[in-house]
Amino acid sequence: MTETKRLLRNLGARLSSGARGAVSRKQMPIVPPDNVAGRAMVLVIAIMTFLSCLTLGAVTLVRDTAATWQTQIAREATIQIKPEEGLDMASALAQARDIAASYPGVIDATVVDAQATARLLEPWLGTGLDIESLPVPRLVIVTIDPLSRPDFGAMRSQLQKTVSNATLDDHRTWVDRLVAMARTTVTIGMSALALILSATALTVIFATRGAMAGNGHIIEVLHFVGAEAPFIASQFRRHFLLAGMKGAAAGGIGAILVFIGFYWWSSRNMATPEADQATALFGNFAIGPSGYIGVGAIVVVIAVLTAATTHVTVLSYLKNVDSTHPDSM
């Protein structure tokens, strides 16, 4: 190595080790602070963060709603009595209620009266129904202690012997299906979230390589005169960390505004059929504290992922430069 190269290497080493503070005038960063490519990358990261937060929020809504359904179903059982000729429905309902209430673990047993049954059938048969003149099954709602469940097998057997056409449904099949649906939804949502994060990482890699291509001659000169790879990587990491934080924050705020908008809409339209169906499926569109914490975590993860991906990409690029020009060092 010639004397000139040694001097240049020493100069570069001083620059990378902190001797730059002795220079009075302000130095320009290696990566331009604002350009078209940088703004485009911030926009892409904002979109990716927005989609990630929406996915996480949707998974949170479905999971919480499924947990609510599961809790409500697990706390109730239903006794159904089908009408038949000669059956005293009122007496049969009272017998079924008394049998269910006699078992340990049953908190309450309530007969669904004719008016309540008519209201349940109004969406399909309209108003003004005479339940007594229609062959409509009648129900007894059994409230269960979730910590001490009754012996449903013995209850079902006694009901079949005592009350004609009585059937007991403990909703176990519905609970199993609900749990399976919730787990499948969460798995699909987490897989979609992982794909979005992977796409974000690939976007950052391409953006980093583009920025390095535009400043490749500067990077190679600094590297060849002795600037260490961690110093150069730190310049890119700082630049893309700030860009990632801007984009991720914008996307996270946009997602939060969407959830607040849906919550406001569902609150203002509680009495409409559309809102009732949406509320039955997704609750009141409130993702709760855990959802907002998750949105904040997504913002931080994407910003850190942007910086880490940039750092690794720059080091890989400089390693490739060293292997391509081994005689330059």
Side-chain angles (χ1 to χ4, degrees):
M1 181 182 292
T2 63
E3 187 65 25
T4 302
K5 286 188 176 180
R6 290 195 184 94
L7 292 175
L8 290 174
R9 174 176 288 279
N10 291 334
L11 175 61
R14 287 197 299 269
L15 287 175
S16 62
S17 63
R20 300 184 307 275
V23 183
S24 59
R25 62 190 183 88
K26 184 179 179 181
Q27 297 180 359
M28 294 298 294
I30 296 176
V31 185
D34 189 21
N35 52 30
V36 176
R39 290 193 294 271
M41 194 196 72
V42 171
L43 179 61
V44 170
I45 291 178
I47 294 174
M48 293 296 186
T49 306
F50 178 76
L51 295 177
S52 299
C53 293
L54 285 185
T55 302
L56 181 65
V59 169
T60 302
L61 287 175
V62 173
R63 183 196 62 195
D64 293 345
T65 304
T68 302
W69 288 349
Q70 182 179 353
T71 302
Q72 291 176 349
I73 293 176
R75 289 180 177 177
E76 288 186 351
T78 304
I79 300 174
Q80 177 181 271
I81 302 177
K82 297 180 181 179
E84 64 177 6
E85 187 176 353
L87 176 66
D88 185 352
M89 182 61 72
S91 175
L93 289 171
Q95 284 183 325
R97 178 194 60 197
D98 295 340
I99 290 172
S102 65
Y103 278 82
V106 174
I107 298 176
D108 188 24
T110 305
V111 175
V112 180
D113 57 23
Q115 291 77 12
T117 304
R119 286 195 297 271
L120 291 174
L121 296 176
E122 281 182 3
W124 294 273
L125 302 180
T127 59
L129 297 176
D130 184 7
I131 296 299
E132 303 298 336
S133 63
L134 295 176
V136 177
R138 299 292 299 278
L139 302 176
V140 177
I141 304 300
V142 182
T143 304
I144 301 167
D145 184 358
L147 301 179
S148 177
R149 297 175 65 83
D151 186 352
F152 286 116
M155 186 187 300
R156 185 177 289 107
S157 178
Q158 186 176 357
L159 284 170
Q160 291 175 351
K161 293 178 181 178
T162 307
V163 183
S164 177
N165 292 339
T167 57
L168 173 65
D169 184 5
D170 59 0
H171 309 310
R172 186 176 304 172
T173 302
W174 292 104
V175 171
D176 294 340
R177 291 180 180 179
L178 186 61
V179 171
M181 182 273 294
R183 290 176 178 174
T184 302
T185 303
V186 171
T187 301
I188 293 175
M190 291 296 102
S191 300
L193 182 60
L195 289 175
I196 294 174
L197 293 177
S198 300
T200 304
L202 291 175
T203 301
V204 173
I205 290 174
F206 292 137
T208 306
R209 290 189 177 275
M212 294 183 69
N215 302 273
H217 58 288
I218 301 175
I219 296 171
E220 293 185 7
V221 168
L222 285 174
H223 189 51
F224 290 152
V225 301
E228 298 178 356
F231 164 71
I232 299 176
S234 67
Q235 300 298 308
F236 279 86
R237 184 178 65 245
R238 184 181 302 111
H239 172 79
F240 284 99
L241 176 61
L242 293 175
M245 291 177 63
K246 292 179 182 178
I253 292 173
I256 289 176
L257 292 177
V258 168
F259 287 119
I260 293 176
F262 273 117
Y263 174 72
W264 177 83
W265 174 82
S266 64
S267 300
R268 293 290 299 272
N269 298 274
M270 291 297 293
T272 62
E274 296 83 359
D276 290 341
Q277 293 177 5
T279 303
L281 289 175
F282 303 106
N284 57 359
F285 287 98
I287 59 177
S290 61
Y292 291 109
I293 292 174
V295 170
I298 289 292
V299 171
V300 174
V301 166
I302 289 183
V304 173
L305 179 64
T306 303
T309 304
T310 301
H311 185 83
V312 174
T313 303
V314 173
L315 292 180
S316 176
Y317 177 86
L318 295 175
K319 183 177 180 180
N320 183 56
V321 169
D322 290 340
S323 61
T324 305
H325 304 87
D327 55 342
S328 301
M329 298 302 296

